[in-house]
Amino acid sequence: MSELNLILLGPPGAGKGTQAARLREDFGLPYIGTGDLLREHKQSETELGLAAKSYMDNGDLVPDDLVIAMILDKVEEEGQDGFLLDGFPRTIGQSEALARELEGMGRRLTAALLIEAPDEVVIARLSGRRVCSAGHVYHVEDDPPKHEGVCDQDGKPLTRRKDDEPETIRKRLATYHAQTEPLKDYYEERGLLRRFDGTRDVTEVHDHIRATLATLRLEERL
Ligand code: AP5
């Protein structure tokens, strides 16, 4: 079967993490979530985590040199037979570094999956998002846990991410528009961009992505 080398693009709160959890199960792909990895480093107070902390808490991007090395090492270690990258690349510099790395391995990207949602939807979603320390995601109104403040899956307490405060959400959106949106054109020009309407129901978005990936796989075999 042909390998799937996928990246998830989109504004904060578009549903990248939510869809990634489903796609991992569907395709058994190694998942590399940049935000999760950086939060683990922050939590364990590694050198990288300490360097990344202030950027993340302010809603800024962590500098390319720190992120590129961390993610490309992971791709080499875990992504030999395919991967699902969530939150990387986020700058043109990161896109070019990924393209060079794959070329060096004699591989190429299968698709850039762009989940789109307008700013007002993102703000409503992230203001109500709650997460447990294992990364399971809820929404206080749209997808509440069975018992308030407790994760259904592992019983851990649910908290609000530090960068989900209203001011920081606005900053993250501005960062996305300025630094990550240009990647749409970058991948469109290379024929790799696939767009999905992130305002649709979670299952509808998932079905649409799965159908698109099934078509891409068929085309690769022709
Ligand atoms: P990261 O953790 O990657 O955050 P993000 O991209 O801002 O994305 P989010 O996790 O906030 O949103 P999501 O799209 O995954 O939405 P979710 O599925 O949770 O990055 C955090 C920080 O790390 C960055 O700000 C930066 O500082 C740093 N960083 C990361 N990558 C970097 C890089 N490459 N370079 C430099 N720095 C980097 O859904 C959100 C909510 O909506 C949930 O409550 C969910 O239940 C709900 N929801 C989801 N889908 C739907 C739907 N279809 N309908 C209704 N509700 C929905």
Side-chain angles (χ1 to χ4, degrees):
M1 203 175 268
S2 53
E3 71 181 30
L4 285 174
N5 299 323
L6 302 171
I7 63 174
L8 278 168
L9 285 177
K16 302 181 297 296
T18 302
Q19 295 302 326
R22 286 162 176 73
L23 296 172
R24 283 163 83 173
E25 282 190 21
D26 293 341
F27 297 98
L29 283 173
Y31 168 74
I32 303 171
T34 316
D36 292 344
L37 285 171
L38 287 169
R39 278 185 288 279
E40 277 170 33
H41 277 279
K42 229 174 75 165
Q43 180 81 18
S44 329
E45 300 190 335
T46 64
E47 202 178 322
L48 171 58
L50 293 173
K53 184 179 183 320
S54 61
Y55 297 101
M56 295 175 76
D57 291 351
N58 285 333
D60 290 320
L61 293 183
V62 177
D64 276 1
D65 54 340
L66 300 180
V67 174
I68 288 172
M70 175 182 85
I71 295 299
L72 296 188
D73 284 352
K74 281 270 173 199
V75 170
E76 266 190 41
E77 281 167 29
E78 298 172 14
Q80 289 295 336
D81 299 322
F83 55 77
L84 176 61
L85 279 176
D86 173 8
F88 184 94
R90 261 180 154 121
T91 63
I92 294 289
Q94 293 178 15
S95 310
E96 290 171 342
L98 178 65
R100 278 195 302 275
E101 173 81 4
L102 290 176
E103 202 183 325
M105 298 162 103
R107 299 165 64 187
R108 61 184 183 79
L109 208 61
T110 312
L113 311 174
L114 171 67
I115 305 179
E116 297 179 289
D119 289 6
E120 61 274 17
V121 171
V122 163
I123 291 167
R125 283 189 187 169
L126 295 184
S127 308
R129 174 166 64 178
R130 298 293 180 272
V131 292
C132 81
S133 58
H136 299 125
V137 180
Y138 299 84
H139 190 279
V140 286
E141 281 160 19
D142 302 336
D143 182 21
K146 290 193 189 82
H147 303 284
E148 197 183 325
V150 181
C151 179
D152 293 346
Q153 298 189 53
D154 52 30
K156 291 181 176 170
L158 296 177
T159 56
R160 183 183 224 181
R161 261 170 53 177
K162 193 165 166 46
D163 61 351
D164 280 348
E165 302 295 335
E167 264 317 293
T168 320
I169 295 171
R170 272 186 270 280
K171 181 69 192 295
R172 286 162 64 201
L173 274 167
T175 303
Y176 171 78
H177 292 308
Q179 297 194 57
T180 308
E181 257 189 332
L183 268 61
K184 288 189 202 173
D185 286 345
Y186 177 93
Y187 286 114
E188 185 100 86
E189 283 160 14
R190 286 157 182 77
L192 292 169
L193 195 74
R194 300 290 180 279
R195 292 171 183 268
F196 303 93
D197 179 357
T199 65
R200 308 286 287 271
D201 176 83
V202 172
T203 306
E204 284 179 62
V205 180
H206 177 213
D207 289 346
H208 187 189
I209 297 178
R210 275 202 333 182
T212 301
L213 293 179
T215 308
L216 280 173
R217 271 192 153 161
L218 275 178
E219 285 170 1
E220 293 231 331
R221 281 193 218 134
L222 292 176

